[in-house]
PDB file of all heavy atoms in Angstrom:
ATOM      1  N   ILE A  82      -4.137  16.428  -8.369  1.00  0.00           N
ATOM      2  CA  ILE A  82      -4.159  16.474  -9.831  1.00  0.00           C
ATOM      3  C   ILE A  82      -5.556  16.908 -10.277  1.00  0.00           C
ATOM      4  O   ILE A  82      -6.557  16.327  -9.843  1.00  0.00           O
ATOM      5  CB  ILE A  82      -3.877  15.074 -10.434  1.00  0.00           C
ATOM      6  CG1 ILE A  82      -2.497  14.562 -10.021  1.00  0.00           C
ATOM      7  CG2 ILE A  82      -4.009  15.102 -11.959  1.00  0.00           C
ATOM      8  CD1 ILE A  82      -2.226  13.113 -10.426  1.00  0.00           C
ATOM      9  N   VAL A  83      -5.623  17.919 -11.130  1.00  0.00           N
ATOM     10  CA  VAL A  83      -6.880  18.244 -11.794  1.00  0.00           C
ATOM     11  C   VAL A  83      -6.729  17.844 -13.257  1.00  0.00           C
ATOM     12  O   VAL A  83      -5.792  18.286 -13.925  1.00  0.00           O
ATOM     13  CB  VAL A  83      -7.226  19.741 -11.686  1.00  0.00           C
ATOM     14  CG1 VAL A  83      -8.479  20.060 -12.492  1.00  0.00           C
ATOM     15  CG2 VAL A  83      -7.426  20.138 -10.234  1.00  0.00           C
ATOM     16  N   ALA A  84      -7.628  16.973 -13.727  1.00  0.00           N
ATOM     17  CA  ALA A  84      -7.556  16.524 -15.114  1.00  0.00           C
ATOM     18  C   ALA A  84      -8.855  16.882 -15.820  1.00  0.00           C
ATOM     19  O   ALA A  84      -9.844  17.227 -15.171  1.00  0.00           O
ATOM     20  CB  ALA A  84      -7.318  15.020 -15.160  1.00  0.00           C
ATOM     21  N   GLN A  85      -8.836  16.810 -17.130  1.00  0.00           N
ATOM     22  CA  GLN A  85     -10.056  17.032 -17.904  1.00  0.00           C
ATOM     23  C   GLN A  85     -10.285  15.811 -18.783  1.00  0.00           C
ATOM     24  O   GLN A  85      -9.337  15.219 -19.280  1.00  0.00           O
ATOM     25  CB  GLN A  85      -9.915  18.270 -18.792  1.00  0.00           C
ATOM     26  CG  GLN A  85      -9.945  19.561 -18.004  1.00  0.00           C
ATOM     27  CD  GLN A  85      -9.784  20.786 -18.904  1.00  0.00           C
ATOM     28  OE1 GLN A  85      -9.442  20.660 -20.070  1.00  0.00           O
ATOM     29  NE2 GLN A  85     -10.018  21.945 -18.338  1.00  0.00           N
ATOM     30  N   GLY A  86     -11.541  15.438 -18.958  1.00  0.00           N
ATOM     31  CA  GLY A  86     -11.859  14.306 -19.826  1.00  0.00           C
ATOM     32  C   GLY A  86     -12.909  13.411 -19.230  1.00  0.00           C
ATOM     33  O   GLY A  86     -13.732  13.848 -18.429  1.00  0.00           O
ATOM     34  N   ASN A  87     -12.857  12.139 -19.604  1.00  0.00           N
ATOM     35  CA  ASN A  87     -13.793  11.160 -19.049  1.00  0.00           C
ATOM     36  C   ASN A  87     -13.292  10.767 -17.659  1.00  0.00           C
ATOM     37  O   ASN A  87     -12.186  10.240 -17.528  1.00  0.00           O
ATOM     38  CB  ASN A  87     -13.843   9.942 -19.974  1.00  0.00           C
ATOM     39  CG  ASN A  87     -14.717   8.837 -19.417  1.00  0.00           C
ATOM     40  OD1 ASN A  87     -14.364   8.181 -18.445  1.00  0.00           O
ATOM     41  ND2 ASN A  87     -15.860   8.652 -20.028  1.00  0.00           N
ATOM     42  N   PRO A  88     -14.097  11.027 -16.587  1.00  0.00           N
ATOM     43  CA  PRO A  88     -13.583  10.834 -15.226  1.00  0.00           C
ATOM     44  C   PRO A  88     -12.995   9.449 -14.960  1.00  0.00           C
ATOM     45  O   PRO A  88     -11.847   9.341 -14.517  1.00  0.00           O
ATOM     46  CB  PRO A  88     -14.806  11.113 -14.356  1.00  0.00           C
ATOM     47  CG  PRO A  88     -15.615  12.084 -15.155  1.00  0.00           C
ATOM     48  CD  PRO A  88     -15.425  11.680 -16.585  1.00  0.00           C
ATOM     49  N   ALA A  89     -13.748   8.398 -15.258  1.00  0.00           N
ATOM     50  CA  ALA A  89     -13.252   7.051 -14.942  1.00  0.00           C
ATOM     51  C   ALA A  89     -11.963   6.757 -15.713  1.00  0.00           C
ATOM     52  O   ALA A  89     -10.988   6.237 -15.155  1.00  0.00           O
ATOM     53  CB  ALA A  89     -14.323   6.011 -15.261  1.00  0.00           C
ATOM     54  N   GLU A  90     -11.942   7.142 -17.000  1.00  0.00           N
ATOM     55  CA  GLU A  90     -10.756   6.856 -17.813  1.00  0.00           C
ATOM     56  C   GLU A  90      -9.525   7.608 -17.313  1.00  0.00           C
ATOM     57  O   GLU A  90      -8.428   7.047 -17.260  1.00  0.00           O
ATOM     58  CB  GLU A  90     -11.022   7.211 -19.284  1.00  0.00           C
ATOM     59  CG  GLU A  90     -11.832   6.134 -19.980  1.00  0.00           C
ATOM     60  CD  GLU A  90     -12.326   6.544 -21.362  1.00  0.00           C
ATOM     61  OE1 GLU A  90     -11.766   7.506 -21.941  1.00  0.00           O
ATOM     62  OE2 GLU A  90     -13.276   5.910 -21.837  1.00  0.00           O
ATOM     63  N   GLU A  91      -9.723   8.870 -16.943  1.00  0.00           N
ATOM     64  CA  GLU A  91      -8.593   9.667 -16.437  1.00  0.00           C
ATOM     65  C   GLU A  91      -8.072   9.100 -15.110  1.00  0.00           C
ATOM     66  O   GLU A  91      -6.865   9.056 -14.872  1.00  0.00           O
ATOM     67  CB  GLU A  91      -9.007  11.134 -16.243  1.00  0.00           C
ATOM     68  CG  GLU A  91      -9.294  11.884 -17.528  1.00  0.00           C
ATOM     69  CD  GLU A  91      -8.071  12.023 -18.426  1.00  0.00           C
ATOM     70  OE1 GLU A  91      -6.965  12.185 -17.902  1.00  0.00           O
ATOM     71  OE2 GLU A  91      -8.237  11.946 -19.657  1.00  0.00           O
ATOM     72  N   ILE A  92      -9.007   8.682 -14.247  1.00  0.00           N
ATOM     73  CA  ILE A  92      -8.611   8.128 -12.945  1.00  0.00           C
ATOM     74  C   ILE A  92      -7.840   6.817 -13.145  1.00  0.00           C
ATOM     75  O   ILE A  92      -6.787   6.593 -12.543  1.00  0.00           O
ATOM     76  CB  ILE A  92      -9.853   7.930 -12.045  1.00  0.00           C
ATOM     77  CG1 ILE A  92     -10.456   9.299 -11.670  1.00  0.00           C
ATOM     78  CG2 ILE A  92      -9.508   7.134 -10.788  1.00  0.00           C
ATOM     79  CD1 ILE A  92     -11.894   9.248 -11.195  1.00  0.00           C
ATOM     80  N   LEU A  93      -8.344   5.968 -14.048  1.00  0.00           N
ATOM     81  CA  LEU A  93      -7.682   4.685 -14.309  1.00  0.00           C
ATOM     82  C   LEU A  93      -6.301   4.900 -14.933  1.00  0.00           C
ATOM     83  O   LEU A  93      -5.329   4.227 -14.561  1.00  0.00           O
ATOM     84  CB  LEU A  93      -8.556   3.835 -15.243  1.00  0.00           C
ATOM     85  CG  LEU A  93      -9.822   3.262 -14.597  1.00  0.00           C
ATOM     86  CD1 LEU A  93     -10.802   2.763 -15.662  1.00  0.00           C
ATOM     87  CD2 LEU A  93      -9.464   2.135 -13.624  1.00  0.00           C
ATOM     88  N   GLU A  94      -6.233   5.848 -15.864  1.00  0.00           N
ATOM     89  CA  GLU A  94      -4.964   6.162 -16.531  1.00  0.00           C
ATOM     90  C   GLU A  94      -3.939   6.655 -15.500  1.00  0.00           C
ATOM     91  O   GLU A  94      -2.771   6.250 -15.514  1.00  0.00           O
ATOM     92  CB  GLU A  94      -5.251   7.250 -17.583  1.00  0.00           C
ATOM     93  CG  GLU A  94      -4.252   7.328 -18.703  1.00  0.00           C
ATOM     94  CD  GLU A  94      -3.985   5.981 -19.353  1.00  0.00           C
ATOM     95  OE1 GLU A  94      -4.956   5.251 -19.686  1.00  0.00           O
ATOM     96  OE2 GLU A  94      -2.804   5.648 -19.478  1.00  0.00           O
ATOM     97  N   THR A  95      -4.404   7.539 -14.599  1.00  0.00           N
ATOM     98  CA  THR A  95      -3.509   8.086 -13.571  1.00  0.00           C
ATOM     99  C   THR A  95      -3.058   6.993 -12.613  1.00  0.00           C
ATOM    100  O   THR A  95      -1.891   6.958 -12.209  1.00  0.00           O
ATOM    101  CB  THR A  95      -4.232   9.212 -12.800  1.00  0.00           C
ATOM    102  OG1 THR A  95      -4.661  10.194 -13.745  1.00  0.00           O
ATOM    103  CG2 THR A  95      -3.319   9.868 -11.777  1.00  0.00           C
ATOM    104  N   ALA A  96      -3.962   6.085 -12.262  1.00  0.00           N
ATOM    105  CA  ALA A  96      -3.602   4.977 -11.362  1.00  0.00           C
ATOM    106  C   ALA A  96      -2.497   4.130 -11.989  1.00  0.00           C
ATOM    107  O   ALA A  96      -1.562   3.700 -11.312  1.00  0.00           O
ATOM    108  CB  ALA A  96      -4.843   4.121 -11.076  1.00  0.00           C
ATOM    109  N   LYS A  97      -2.615   3.914 -13.308  1.00  0.00           N
ATOM    110  CA  LYS A  97      -1.591   3.132 -14.016  1.00  0.00           C
ATOM    111  C   LYS A  97      -0.262   3.873 -14.013  1.00  0.00           C
ATOM    112  O   LYS A  97       0.781   3.301 -13.724  1.00  0.00           O
ATOM    113  CB  LYS A  97      -2.035   2.873 -15.456  1.00  0.00           C
ATOM    114  CG  LYS A  97      -2.900   1.635 -15.570  1.00  0.00           C
ATOM    115  CD  LYS A  97      -3.328   1.376 -16.999  1.00  0.00           C
ATOM    116  CE  LYS A  97      -4.666   0.633 -16.960  1.00  0.00           C
ATOM    117  NZ  LYS A  97      -5.587   1.066 -17.997  1.00  0.00           N
ATOM    118  N   LYS A  98      -0.321   5.154 -14.361  1.00  0.00           N
ATOM    119  CA  LYS A  98       0.897   5.965 -14.439  1.00  0.00           C
ATOM    120  C   LYS A  98       1.614   6.023 -13.098  1.00  0.00           C
ATOM    121  O   LYS A  98       2.831   5.924 -13.015  1.00  0.00           O
ATOM    122  CB  LYS A  98       0.548   7.387 -14.883  1.00  0.00           C
ATOM    123  CG  LYS A  98       0.784   7.615 -16.356  1.00  0.00           C
ATOM    124  CD  LYS A  98       0.730   9.109 -16.675  1.00  0.00           C
ATOM    125  CE  LYS A  98      -0.080   9.334 -17.943  1.00  0.00           C
ATOM    126  NZ  LYS A  98      -0.807  10.599 -17.964  1.00  0.00           N
ATOM    127  N   LEU A  99       0.840   6.226 -12.033  1.00  0.00           N
ATOM    128  CA  LEU A  99       1.425   6.353 -10.690  1.00  0.00           C
ATOM    129  C   LEU A  99       1.854   5.007 -10.131  1.00  0.00           C
ATOM    130  O   LEU A  99       2.524   4.943  -9.119  1.00  0.00           O
ATOM    131  CB  LEU A  99       0.400   6.951  -9.718  1.00  0.00           C
ATOM    132  CG  LEU A  99      -0.004   8.405  -9.846  1.00  0.00           C
ATOM    133  CD1 LEU A  99      -1.060   8.742  -8.809  1.00  0.00           C
ATOM    134  CD2 LEU A  99       1.212   9.300  -9.640  1.00  0.00           C
ATOM    135  N   LYS A 100       1.374   3.935 -10.764  1.00  0.00           N
ATOM    136  CA  LYS A 100       1.517   2.585 -10.208  1.00  0.00           C
ATOM    137  C   LYS A 100       0.884   2.542  -8.813  1.00  0.00           C
ATOM    138  O   LYS A 100       1.509   2.100  -7.826  1.00  0.00           O
ATOM    139  CB  LYS A 100       2.978   2.157 -10.151  1.00  0.00           C
ATOM    140  CG  LYS A 100       3.625   2.042 -11.523  1.00  0.00           C
ATOM    141  CD  LYS A 100       4.916   1.218 -11.437  1.00  0.00           C
ATOM    142  CE  LYS A 100       5.453   0.814 -12.789  1.00  0.00           C
ATOM    143  NZ  LYS A 100       5.924   1.934 -13.612  1.00  0.00           N
ATOM    144  N   ALA A 101      -0.345   3.058  -8.728  1.00  0.00           N
ATOM    145  CA  ALA A 101      -1.069   3.097  -7.460  1.00  0.00           C
ATOM    146  C   ALA A 101      -1.344   1.678  -6.966  1.00  0.00           C
ATOM    147  O   ALA A 101      -1.573   0.765  -7.768  1.00  0.00           O
ATOM    148  CB  ALA A 101      -2.375   3.860  -7.632  1.00  0.00           C
ATOM    149  N   ASP A 102      -1.292   1.496  -5.660  1.00  0.00           N
ATOM    150  CA  ASP A 102      -1.608   0.199  -5.061  1.00  0.00           C
ATOM    151  C   ASP A 102      -3.075   0.131  -4.666  1.00  0.00           C
ATOM    152  O   ASP A 102      -3.622  -0.947  -4.456  1.00  0.00           O
ATOM    153  CB  ASP A 102      -0.754  -0.018  -3.811  1.00  0.00           C
ATOM    154  CG  ASP A 102       0.724   0.059  -4.133  1.00  0.00           C
ATOM    155  OD1 ASP A 102       1.203  -0.850  -4.840  1.00  0.00           O
ATOM    156  OD2 ASP A 102       1.384   1.026  -3.708  1.00  0.00           O
ATOM    157  N   LEU A 103      -3.685   1.299  -4.532  1.00  0.00           N
ATOM    158  CA  LEU A 103      -5.074   1.359  -4.069  1.00  0.00           C
ATOM    159  C   LEU A 103      -5.751   2.605  -4.629  1.00  0.00           C
ATOM    160  O   LEU A 103      -5.176   3.690  -4.604  1.00  0.00           O
ATOM    161  CB  LEU A 103      -5.101   1.412  -2.529  1.00  0.00           C
ATOM    162  CG  LEU A 103      -6.454   1.580  -1.852  1.00  0.00           C
ATOM    163  CD1 LEU A 103      -7.293   0.309  -1.995  1.00  0.00           C
ATOM    164  CD2 LEU A 103      -6.277   1.918  -0.364  1.00  0.00           C
ATOM    165  N   ILE A 104      -6.971   2.422  -5.144  1.00  0.00           N
ATOM    166  CA  ILE A 104      -7.802   3.574  -5.544  1.00  0.00           C
ATOM    167  C   ILE A 104      -8.956   3.641  -4.546  1.00  0.00           C
ATOM    168  O   ILE A 104      -9.589   2.619  -4.249  1.00  0.00           O
ATOM    169  CB  ILE A 104      -8.377   3.409  -6.963  1.00  0.00           C
ATOM    170  CG1 ILE A 104      -7.263   3.193  -7.988  1.00  0.00           C
ATOM    171  CG2 ILE A 104      -9.219   4.626  -7.347  1.00  0.00           C
ATOM    172  CD1 ILE A 104      -7.775   2.868  -9.399  1.00  0.00           C
ATOM    173  N   VAL A 105      -9.215   4.824  -4.011  1.00  0.00           N
ATOM    174  CA  VAL A 105     -10.353   4.980  -3.083  1.00  0.00           C
ATOM    175  C   VAL A 105     -11.380   5.902  -3.733  1.00  0.00           C
ATOM    176  O   VAL A 105     -11.042   7.009  -4.175  1.00  0.00           O
ATOM    177  CB  VAL A 105      -9.898   5.560  -1.724  1.00  0.00           C
ATOM    178  CG1 VAL A 105     -11.061   5.561  -0.742  1.00  0.00           C
ATOM    179  CG2 VAL A 105      -8.730   4.768  -1.149  1.00  0.00           C
TER     180      VAL A 105
END
Side-chain angles (χ1 to χ4, degrees):
I82 299 172
V83 175
Q85 288 179 348
N87 176 289
E90 281 170 19
E91 292 296 324
I92 293 161
L93 288 165
E94 203 51 48
T95 303
K97 274 180 208 141
K98 261 193 224 148
L99 290 178
K100 296 197 168 67
D102 302 292
L103 176 70
I104 303 174
V105 186

